Amino acid sequence: MNSQFSAPYLKTLSLSPENQESPIHFLKHWKTPQDYFYLRNHFSYPLINPQNLFLSISGNVNKRVEISLSELSRFPSKTILVPLECAGNNRAKFKPKVFGEQWEEGAVSQGKWKGVPLKELLDQAGLLDGSKEAVFAGMDFGERKDLNESFYFARSLPIEKALHEDTIVAYEYNGKPIPYKHGYPFRLIVPQWYAMSSVKWLMNIFIIRHEFNGPFQTKDYVYYPFKDSDLDKKPVTAINVNSTIQEPLNYSIIQEGLQTIRGIAWTGTGTINEVAISIDHGDTWRKATLKYRENEKFSWVKWHFDWEAYKGEHTILVRASDSEGNMQPIKPYWNRKGYGYNAVQKIKIQVE
Ligand SMILES: Nc1nc2c(c(=O)[nH]1)N[C@H]1C(S)=C(S)[C@@H](COP(=O)(O)O)O[C@H]1N2
Ligand SMILES: [Mo]
């Protein structure tokens, strides 16, 4: 083997269950190759019976529906470029520190998901009056030590979000069947929301007339603003506006003269409309140049900023804002379980 052709690896946090970050500074493409897509799992991987690839819809519906993989691929489909970001991305940066997987900035990746709008499938089943939420259960399950009980990984969506035209049941990723570790054969894709909603190995959809109270809905993926009380809690839903620097690397030594600072930015609702850089700890900001992916409303944007680097130690800050008027804050919004981190990213570099 010629080492010239070696490729990046994922960054391992744990192996059972498997949690690995993307090598984010290598993600220069619009579509993350599956080998570099971050992995986030609550349980060990489910066993999948290739003879029995069905998705069921039941509950508050006119008739129970079972759909096979080949039937699903005959429905009208859409293909969308969607970033998935773990709600715990950057958790390691909260101060005071919070418990949970200590993700740095690599729990985000994006690619092309092809699938059928969930609405089409729900229409087949026929929603009955009073349908309030759709619950999505994966094939993976295991014990929750905190509750002394076993659960499937299950999440719900309000019925309006379930019926949104871009909420899809995906069966392909980047033009191929979804990779096993990312949810083969069926995966719910919920654009604009943190990725806990995008249930992998989707097996059952239940339509319910009340609010779902599974532990991944009501214990986890909830913002708790206070350390010692549950006061003012609220569910984790849409992605917060965010950005990251891919080049140069934190604590790298670079040459003086013209240098390009690069990265990506993305948001939940709306689109990115500005990315700004500060070299003076946030006193002044200068606009970076943005590159959008045409005809893809959810895609991250690529940004770059040409900088005349001068000798010394510098801190580079990046801050994105979106069309809904949201801007990355200087300080993160601290919450007990460490979700939704989106404070401005900082790197330190030395210029020689
Ligand atoms: N069935 C199932 N779906 C799941 C999860 C899981 O553990 N089981 N994890 C969720 C979370 S928290 C995230 S961030 C994404 C991770 O998707 P990936 O492993 O394809 O990157 O899947 C979501 N869907
Ligand atoms: Mo996540």
Side-chain angles (χ1 to χ4, degrees):
M1 277 268 276
N2 188 330
S3 62
Q4 242 184 304
F5 299 113
S6 54
Y9 296 91
L10 293 169
K11 182 176 149 194
T12 308
L13 272 67
S14 67
L15 286 176
S16 67
E18 189 172 21
N19 286 303
Q20 308 224 34
E21 292 195 20
S22 274
I24 191 76
H25 51 284
F26 287 108
L27 299 186
K28 299 291 162 65
H29 303 287
W30 295 105
K31 294 185 281 178
T32 307
Q34 70 168 79
D35 290 353
Y36 310 139
F37 204 108
Y38 80 97
L39 289 161
R40 202 290 180 240
N41 296 292
H42 294 76
F43 301 121
S44 46
Y45 291 109
L47 291 173
I48 289 163
N49 176 356
Q51 259 83 59
N52 193 19
L53 305 177
F54 285 99
L55 174 68
S56 83
I57 304 175
S58 59
N60 196 44
V61 293
N62 195 21
K63 66 169 200 295
R64 181 192 162 93
V65 171
E66 291 215 339
I67 302 159
S68 70
L69 183 53
S70 58
E71 281 163 353
L72 189 70
S73 60
R74 287 197 292 271
F75 276 85
S77 68
K78 59 165 65 178
T79 304
I80 43 181
L81 188 60
V82 180
L84 292 185
E85 182 184 15
C86 181
N89 195 23
N90 291 298
R91 177 181 288 131
K93 296 174 186 167
F94 277 106
K95 281 182 199 148
K97 293 284 246 181
V98 294
F99 292 95
E101 296 290 336
Q102 294 298 301
W103 298 102
E104 303 278 349
E105 54 277 346
V108 58
S109 301
Q110 86 166 6
K112 286 219 160 186
W113 298 95
K114 177 181 180 184
V116 177
L118 177 62
K119 182 182 184 306
E120 299 286 328
L121 306 177
L122 296 182
D123 284 350
Q124 299 282 308
L127 297 187
L128 297 179
D129 280 357
S131 297
K132 190 170 163 78
E133 293 195 346
V135 180
F136 305 90
M139 298 180 198
D140 52 330
F141 62 92
E143 198 191 337
R144 282 200 50 145
K145 299 257 156 49
D146 56 336
L147 302 169
N148 250 309
E149 218 186 305
S150 282
F151 294 89
Y152 281 94
F153 183 83
R155 291 269 319 166
S156 74
L157 288 178
I159 207 73
E160 307 75 51
K161 186 68 178 171
L163 292 171
H164 188 283
E165 56 174 4
D166 295 314
T167 298
I168 62 172
V169 174
Y171 54 91
E172 277 185 16
Y173 178 70
N174 288 351
K176 301 215 180 78
I178 298 177
Y180 171 59
K181 292 183 172 183
H182 297 287
Y184 180 85
F186 309 115
R187 180 175 194 167
L188 188 70
I189 292 291
V190 184
Q192 305 184 311
W193 281 34
Y194 280 111
M196 71 281 153
S197 314
S198 293
V199 175
K200 304 194 277 188
W201 312 291
L202 181 60
M203 177 174 63
N204 297 306
I205 301 174
F206 303 101
I207 305 302
I208 58 175
R209 299 163 58 105
H210 53 271
E211 286 178 12
F212 179 55
N213 69 355
F216 298 102
Q217 195 74 30
T218 54
K219 290 201 144 257
D220 300 338
Y221 304 110
V222 173
Y223 293 111
Y224 300 100
F226 301 103
K227 187 165 189 338
D228 303 309
S229 98
D230 288 358
L231 201 69
D232 295 339
K233 65 178 180 176
K234 65 172 205 284
V236 175
T237 56
I239 292 178
N240 294 327
V241 60
N242 216 341
S243 61
T244 194
I245 301 173
Q246 296 176 298
E247 210 184 297
L249 290 179
N250 201 9
Y251 286 98
S252 57
I253 302 167
I254 64 172
Q255 298 301 305
E256 66 178 333
L258 196 64
Q259 294 286 353
T260 303
I261 306 165
R262 288 176 202 284
I264 51 177
W266 64 95
T267 189
T269 31
T271 48
I272 293 291
N273 56 5
E274 190 183 291
V275 174
I277 299 291
S278 176
I279 321 283
D280 55 11
H281 306 279
D283 288 345
T284 59
W285 294 89
R286 283 183 282 167
K287 285 185 194 177
T289 306
L290 305 185
K291 196 164 155 200
Y292 293 86
R293 184 66 170 175
E294 267 171 44
N295 304 319
E296 295 288 355
K297 56 185 164 184
F298 306 120
S299 173
W300 60 39
V301 305
K302 299 184 188 188
W303 57 264
H304 76 267
F305 181 81
D306 291 326
W307 180 48
E308 197 61 50
Y310 54 98
K311 282 197 172 73
E313 273 183 38
H314 304 281
T315 303
I316 301 175
L317 307 187
V318 63
R319 182 183 74 184
S321 0
D322 68 22
S323 55
E324 301 291 291
N326 304 301
M327 181 184 271
Q328 288 184 253
I330 294 286
K331 287 206 177 105
Y333 160 68
W334 188 92
N335 60 102
R336 199 199 317 153
K337 290 202 171 196
Y339 299 123
Y341 187 103
N342 77 329
V344 293
Q345 296 278 350
K346 283 180 206 194
I347 59 164
K348 281 195 177 171
I349 51 157
Q350 193 177 81
V351 180
E352 313 187 311

